[in-house]
Amino acid sequence: MTTREQKFDAIFEAWASQPIQFATPEAEGAYKERTEMWKDVIQLKKPVRVPFLMTSGIHPFLHAGITTEEGMYDYEKMSYAFQKYNDDFQTDTVVSCGMAGSGPLFDILDYKLYQWPGRGVDPRSSYQALEGEFMKADEYDVLINDPTDFFMRYYLPRVFNALSGWSTLGPMTDVTELPFTGPYMIGAGLPPAVKAWETMLEAGREALKWASFVGATDGYSIAKHGLPAFIGGATKAPFDTLGDTLRGTRAIMLDKFRQPKKVLAAMERLVPLAVQSGLRQVNGAKVPFVFIPLHKGADGFMSDKDFKTFYWPQLKAVIVGLVEGGAVPYLFVEGGYNQRLDVIGGDPDIPAGSTLWIFDKSDMNEVKKRWSGWQAFGGNVSASMMSTGTPEDVAGYVKMLLADVAGDGGFVLSPGAVVDHCKPENMHAILDTLKKYGKY
Amino acid sequence: MSEQLINAIADMDEEGALALTRELLDRGATPTAILDDCRAAMEIVGKRFEAGEYFIPELILAGEMLKGISAEVKPHMTSAQADVKKLGKVIVGTVKGDIHDIGKDIVVFMLDVNGFEVHDLGIDVPAQAFVEKIAEVKPQVVALSGFLTLAFDSMKETVGAIKAAGLRDQVKIMVGGGTVDEQVCKYAGADAFGADAMAAVSLAKGWIA
């Protein structure tokens, strides 16, 4: 049987030896050095220097002088912007255009969970979630009974208006015998369903077109500068899947009072799905990190008692499942987590040196007390400072972080929020300060 | 005054609070008495929030309970009873480019139950809309909400537009939400930053009293 450690080593080995045609031997060396640096960090060693991980949102578009709308709708412009960004600022991963999204694809699907530039929000804005009760309060049992059926026939038809025809289908588990096949397929041939299938085909073709640009764009920067791809996959904390995706913040908060048992049962059902999804993506991409943005468990969003009941046990189960599969959960801990540090820090169920935690507004000295020797951590370069401060402010802050909390190794320099706006001189201030003070 | 109703609301017993309201109305309690109980209960909720015992879910459930109770009480109210004297006027809105409303809605609710006349301009509000509303209702306080980093510039623009319209010295301006902090407050030229809905209430009370 393959152990967790063997799987971990295998995925890092696959990542380090990706079949890349590097532009120069220097780029190849830089790639190798960076992948080693990341492995050292996760295993709580001291790498050659502290790595920098940038969460840049739409910053590459604005930096290149184009609007977000142009970048989301014109793949050539998207390529130009992200290549320029990786040329101008070399962090320790490729800043990937994969997260920026395809405007035409969302138009085809008539996506309702988000508004994006030119479709509800300003052309220079980022896409923004528009939560709704895409799962109704009385539909928990449908989700729990068969999550895939719920997604196919309830959730996707509501969230993608162009797939609304799927709501006329029967559950696919009806098709068990020859005589039942004909009656079942009638639903698939009715006009609303036909329109949905055609939309799906069109969406698939658009996604392929978009993906070829994403691959070529990231590939160019990876080969030119030796910047490894970083996000192998993405998944969510079960409470956030309910709160962000299915029920919305207000509704999930009320469900917690009104039908707590259903909320718990639904999350239990979502845990294995989240684990399998993350591992499938990581093994496909041969990149070890699974991005998990944390939203509705932050300070203020619930009591510690509720956090220990509704958020942490299920998130921990996802983390442990991913770690057992050899992947590295990358927890993006948005907002403040000061209340939660004692609940999470040092949890013995998570093997030491197996995960990465990037904090936003948490007190980093307090994080260090609990994370040092347990898990890799970083973050906290303030988004407001990067956006509105001077290079001196930023350099001073980075220097302080490096001096105060990086000393033991297992540390990553990073903002803890998505930074859509940052002056170029502030980015250079971070990179220059890191070069000067980030070596071990 | 019904201790029972106050406690039901303050202890997050939604079903109990609504049942008690109906019972009190049946026994002839006045709408004013019931709404006074709601205010007393909300004071406890606010204190528990400030003490770190209650969090956003409790504020949202309290809002739901008050909505439910108001619906029960309304048919029994005279127009004189509905007319309550307010502490002062506050204009609230999520600034241009940003469509986040959850935090802003909680601020609106908490200001409202704490006795302010609140004018909610909604989301993605252009600077000019704030200016026009200030000229129209003459508030003492303006509260700018925003979640994304793009909100920093919109806040700055909004404060600038209020200044350009010659209205800056008539209002106090607070900012809050998401990645907003003291640094953003300074950058935008606002008067104060508030970390949560109760901070918004304290700031408004401090400025208006």
Side-chain angles (χ1 to χ4, degrees), chain A residues 5-328:
Chain A
E5 290 83 356
Q6 285 167 331
K7 288 178 190 166
F8 176 93
D9 284 338
I11 183 86
F12 269 91
E13 177 54 34
W15 186 39
S17 54
Q18 294 250 13
I20 300 162
Q21 297 291 327
F22 288 102
T24 61
E26 289 74 32
E28 186 166 9
Y31 184 91
K32 197 163 171 289
E33 186 177 289
R34 285 190 171 107
T35 51
E36 274 165 17
M37 202 154 66
W38 284 113
K39 191 175 181 191
D40 286 345
V41 165
I42 300 308
Q43 296 190 312
L44 309 176
K45 297 174 191 161
K46 289 180 184 169
V48 287
R49 68 165 167 78
V50 170
F52 179 47
L53 175 61
M54 179 64 189
T55 41
S56 65
I58 60 165
H59 187 215
F61 294 142
L62 305 181
H63 175 70
I66 64 171
T67 65
T68 319
E69 185 178 15
E70 287 174 292
M72 282 181 77
Y73 279 89
D74 184 332
Y75 300 148
E76 301 273 358
K77 285 186 179 167
M78 171 186 82
S79 280
Y80 162 74
F82 275 80
Q83 286 175 354
K84 176 173 167 55
Y85 198 77
N86 285 297
D87 282 347
D88 290 357
F89 312 114
Q90 280 143 47
T91 68
D92 289 305
T93 74
V94 70
V95 172
S96 169
C97 54
M99 288 282 213
S102 156
L105 177 63
F106 305 144
D107 280 344
I108 290 167
L109 293 165
D110 195 3
Y111 200 7
K112 297 296 178 197
L113 180 60
Y114 280 84
Q115 292 193 341
W116 57 95
R119 302 292 184 276
V121 298
D122 187 86
R124 295 178 63 80
S125 168
S126 56
Y127 52 77
Q128 301 177 41
L130 197 66
E131 292 178 353
E133 294 193 33
F134 294 105
M135 178 175 115
K136 313 283 179 220
D138 60 1
E139 288 175 345
Y140 274 93
D141 286 334
V142 189
L143 174 74
I144 293 162
N145 180 49
D146 185 345
T148 302
D149 185 48
F150 178 79
F151 266 69
M152 174 132 190
R153 298 192 307 120
Y154 293 78
Y155 176 69
L156 295 180
R158 289 172 185 163
V159 84
F160 297 132
N161 194 39
L163 299 182
S164 60
W166 277 355
S167 60
T168 65
L169 298 173
M172 288 192 171
T173 40
D174 284 0
V175 192
T176 51
E177 288 280 358
L178 181 148
F180 315 152
T181 303
Y184 178 85
M185 290 300 165
I186 294 169
L190 293 175
V194 168
K195 192 175 162 278
W197 299 124
E198 284 169 357
T199 298
M200 196 65 172
L201 201 61
E202 200 188 337
R205 286 184 180 132
E206 187 63 36
L208 268 183
K209 186 174 152 196
W210 166 77
S212 70
F213 275 89
V214 172
T217 305
D218 287 1
Y220 163 90
S221 303
I222 292 169
K224 184 171 177 192
H225 302 296
L227 302 169
F230 195 71
I231 294 183
T235 192
K236 297 281 291 275
F239 189 83
D240 288 334
T241 298
L242 287 177
D244 297 344
T245 305
L246 296 173
R247 295 282 292 135
T249 304
R250 278 183 63 85
I252 192 63
M253 285 178 171
L254 293 171
D255 290 347
K256 207 158 53 59
F257 292 107
R258 289 171 177 169
Q259 40 182 349
K261 285 185 184 145
K262 297 281 186 204
V263 174
L264 289 171
M267 289 197 288
E268 204 183 319
R269 204 75 170 90
L270 293 172
V271 166
L273 299 178
V275 172
Q276 287 154 19
S277 167
L279 291 179
R280 208 167 41 237
Q281 295 173 65
V282 155
N283 290 322
K286 299 188 171 35
V287 174
F289 295 89
V290 181
F291 180 63
I292 311 179
L294 304 187
H295 294 150
K296 273 132 201 178
D299 287 351
F301 280 67
M302 59 173 77
S303 66
D304 270 359
K305 185 169 162 286
D306 280 353
F307 185 77
K308 287 183 216 165
T309 310
F310 291 95
Y311 202 92
W312 178 233
Q314 299 78 10
L315 170 60
K316 186 167 84 177
V318 173
I319 293 172
V320 169
L322 291 170
V323 166
E324 278 170 0
V328 180

Side-chain angles (χ1 to χ4, degrees), chain A residues 410-422:
Chain A
F411 179 79
V412 174
L413 189 71
S414 177
V418 174
V419 180
D420 289 328
H421 301 81
C422 177

Side-chain angles (χ1 to χ4, degrees), chain B residues 114-194:
Chain B
N114 278 282
F116 292 94
E117 178 183 321
V118 188
H119 297 266
D120 181 1
L121 298 184
I123 53 172
D124 193 10
V125 181
Q128 200 48 36
F130 280 103
V131 170
E132 283 163 17
K133 199 73 186 174
I134 293 167
E136 179 198 330
V137 305
K138 302 191 169 46
Q140 292 92 334
V141 177
V142 176
L144 306 179
S145 174
F147 182 83
L148 303 164
T149 56
L150 70 82
F152 307 161
D153 280 322
S154 295
M155 286 175 173
K156 192 176 182 172
E157 269 168 40
T158 306
V159 176
I162 295 169
K163 210 173 186 176
L167 299 166
R168 182 66 183 91
D169 53 356
Q170 297 173 29
V171 291
K172 289 283 190 184
I173 301 175
M174 65 171 94
V175 293
T179 49
V180 175
D181 56 15
E182 286 294 353
Q183 176 147 5
V184 176
C185 174
K186 216 184 292 165
Y187 176 76
D191 297 302
F193 152 72

Side-chain angles (χ1 to χ4, degrees), chain A residues 257-417:
Chain A
F257 292 107
R258 289 171 177 169
Q259 40 182 349
K261 285 185 184 145
K262 297 281 186 204
V263 174
L264 289 171
M267 289 197 288
E268 204 183 319
R269 204 75 170 90
L270 293 172
V271 166
L273 299 178
V275 172
Q276 287 154 19
S277 167
L279 291 179
R280 208 167 41 237
Q281 295 173 65
V282 155
N283 290 322
K286 299 188 171 35
V287 174
F289 295 89
V290 181
F291 180 63
I292 311 179
L294 304 187
H295 294 150
K296 273 132 201 178
D299 287 351
F301 280 67
M302 59 173 77
S303 66
D304 270 359
K305 185 169 162 286
D306 280 353
F307 185 77
K308 287 183 216 165
T309 310
F310 291 95
Y311 202 92
W312 178 233
Q314 299 78 10
L315 170 60
K316 186 167 84 177
V318 173
I319 293 172
V320 169
L322 291 170
V323 166
E324 278 170 0
V328 180
Y330 155 23
L331 290 306
F332 189 60
V333 191
E334 297 185 71
Y337 248 63
N338 294 309
Q339 273 177 250
R340 318 296 187 205
L341 297 180
D342 280 330
V343 180
I344 300 172
D347 192 311
D349 294 341
I350 303 174
S354 64
T355 62
L356 171 62
W357 297 71
I358 297 296
F359 290 92
D360 177 9
K361 288 179 164 183
S362 302
D363 180 329
M364 294 309 277
N365 289 304
E366 293 301 314
V367 171
K368 181 175 188 268
K369 279 184 205 159
R370 294 158 182 83
W371 260 250
S372 189
W374 179 58
Q375 303 298 339
F377 69 96
N380 187 245
V381 181
S382 131
S384 64
M385 188 184 281
M386 287 172 73
S387 174
T388 66
T390 65
E392 292 72 34
D393 292 338
V394 176
Y397 198 83
V398 168
K399 208 174 146 187
M400 183 196 76
L401 268 181
L402 291 173
D404 289 356
V405 292
D408 298 343
F411 179 79
V412 174
L413 189 71
S414 177

